């Protein structure tokens, strides 16, 4: 079953803009702040919601934010 809250093309791209950036971490942080008592994700995300289930566990938690931050902190690939 596809997870409507997870980006199928790139789970780290929470904001659906085609790139992984600090905006993705901020989008997930804002979702957590706006939904403090809601952990499990249900239904379909609205147009303003990010695809906040980065790790695919059916919830939005600090772990999802941390995955984006860890990716952003990776050293650039050498060529």
């Amino acid at each position: 079953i596809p997870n409507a809250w997870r980006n199928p093309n790139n789970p780290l791209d929470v904001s659906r803009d085609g790139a992984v950036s600090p905006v993705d971490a901020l989008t997930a942080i804002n979702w957590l702040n706006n939904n403090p008592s809601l952990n499990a994700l249900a239904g379909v995300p609205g147009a303003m919601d990010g695809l906040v289930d980065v790790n695919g566990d059916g919830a939005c938690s600090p772990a999802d934010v941390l995955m984006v931050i860890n990716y952003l902190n990776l050293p650039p690939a050498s060529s």
Side-chain angles (χ1 to χ4, degrees), residues 2-73:
N3 182 340
W5 290 87
R6 189 167 200 235
N7 188 332
N9 298 319
N10 182 352
L12 296 168
D13 181 14
V14 174
S15 65
R16 308 181 234 191
D17 66 358
V20 181
S21 71
V23 169
D24 298 298
L26 184 59
T27 300
I29 290 168
N30 286 341
W31 194 94
L32 287 169
N33 284 334
N34 290 329
N35 301 281
S37 62
L38 186 61
N39 187 10
L41 300 166
V44 177
M48 298 305 293
D49 291 319
L51 301 180
V52 294
D53 188 9
V54 176
N55 64 10
D57 67 354
C60 181
S61 71
D64 297 293
V65 176
L66 185 60
M67 288 182 71
V68 175
I69 292 170
N70 284 344
Y71 175 83
L72 293 171
N73 282 322

